[in-house]
């Protein structure tokens, strides 16, 4: 069944003017990789590869720098990549996001010099951040809150968004 669907999808031609658009597996737009299945796996892979480079550096500096400096480094080099576009890319299956969740916990443990059996809540609390699924929900909840209580502060495109 999937083969038939992908064959059908590959036969669709999209034209803009006289130009036929080529179908690709993924495309980068404003720093977010959008794949043809909207599984966000390419973007998650991109983020993972970007922040995994810091793990060995974090091992080396965790005993040298203060916790406040380590927090600043985390928010600059890890958190910023995780939250950019999170309301879009984290709207996928947990199995797709899980590699980022595990890597983020590993980085937090490393920076805090914590053991593997340290409570995850404690790791996030100490760095005043949230797990990735909660970070995904935050901007969405903020939008709903603004819509409900500060409707006038939203762009006009959202005026009938929830009706």
């Amino acid at each position: 069944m999937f083969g038939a669907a992908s064959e059908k999808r590959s036969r669709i031609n999209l034209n803009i003017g006289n130009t036929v658009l080529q179908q690709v597996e993924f495309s980068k737009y404003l720093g977010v990789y959008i794949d043809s299945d909207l599984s966000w796996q390419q973007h998650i892979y991109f983020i993972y590869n970007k922040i995994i480079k810091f793990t060995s550096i974090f091992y080396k500096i965790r005993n040298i720098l203060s916790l406040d400096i380590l927090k600043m480094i985390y928010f600059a080099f890890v958190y910023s990549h995780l939250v950019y576009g999170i309301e879009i890319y984290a709207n996928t299956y947990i199995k797709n996001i899980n590699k980022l969740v595990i890597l983020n916990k590993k980085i937090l443990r490393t920076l805090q010099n914590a053991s593997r059996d340290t409570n995850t809540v404690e790791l996030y609390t100490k760095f005043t951040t949230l797990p990735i699924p909660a970070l995904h929900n935050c901007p969405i909840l903020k939008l709903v809150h603004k819509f409900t209580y500060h409707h006038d502060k939203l762009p006009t495109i959202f005026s009938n968004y929830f009706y």
Side-chain angles (χ1 to χ4, degrees):
M1 180 161 209
F2 288 104
S6 59
E7 286 176 26
K8 186 176 182 180
R9 181 174 43 188
S10 64
R11 286 188 225 144
I12 296 173
N13 291 326
L14 184 61
N15 299 325
I16 296 181
N18 293 330
T19 306
V20 178
L21 295 180
Q22 178 186 2
Q23 184 175 350
V24 294
E25 285 298 312
F26 60 88
S27 180
K28 188 175 183 181
Y29 181 71
L30 296 175
V32 177
Y33 285 91
I34 304 168
D35 59 69
S36 59
D37 298 326
L38 293 178
S39 68
W40 306 104
Q41 287 181 336
Q42 185 64 34
H43 186 70
I44 291 166
Y45 177 77
F46 172 73
I47 295 171
Y48 182 87
N49 285 335
K50 197 163 212 168
I51 63 178
I52 195 152
K53 297 172 190 174
F54 298 111
T55 54
S56 63
I57 296 168
F58 292 158
Y59 273 113
K60 294 173 185 170
I61 65 170
R62 69 182 174 179
N63 295 321
I64 300 169
L65 302 173
S66 70
L67 189 62
D68 290 336
I69 301 296
L70 292 173
K71 277 184 188 180
M72 287 194 297
I73 290 170
Y74 169 79
F75 281 100
F77 293 106
V78 176
Y79 183 85
S80 60
H81 294 296
L82 290 173
V83 296
Y84 182 73
I86 197 166
E87 54 272 86
I88 298 169
Y89 82 80
N91 193 26
T92 186
Y93 297 109
I94 193 68
K95 69 177 181 127
N96 294 346
I97 273 273
N98 206 28
K99 70 189 302 182
L100 285 179
V101 171
I102 292 168
L103 179 60
N104 191 37
K105 280 195 273 187
K106 179 181 180 178
I107 289 171
L108 288 171
R109 278 193 181 93
T110 302
L111 289 172
Q112 296 176 37
N113 211 3
S115 65
R116 289 188 56 111
D117 61 339
T118 304
N119 189 330
T120 304
V121 174
E122 188 180 318
L123 292 172
Y124 289 107
T125 303
K126 204 168 193 178
F127 266 48
T128 59
T129 187
L130 297 168
I132 291 174
L135 286 174
H136 167 251
N137 291 337
C138 245
I140 297 166
L141 292 171
K142 284 180 184 178
L143 173 67
V144 173
H145 182 269
K146 269 189 182 176
F147 185 85
T148 306
Y149 297 105
H150 305 287
H151 196 75
D152 57 320
K153 295 184 180 179
L154 285 172
T156 54
I157 195 162
F158 293 111
S159 60
N160 295 323
Y161 198 72
F162 295 105
Y163 293 122

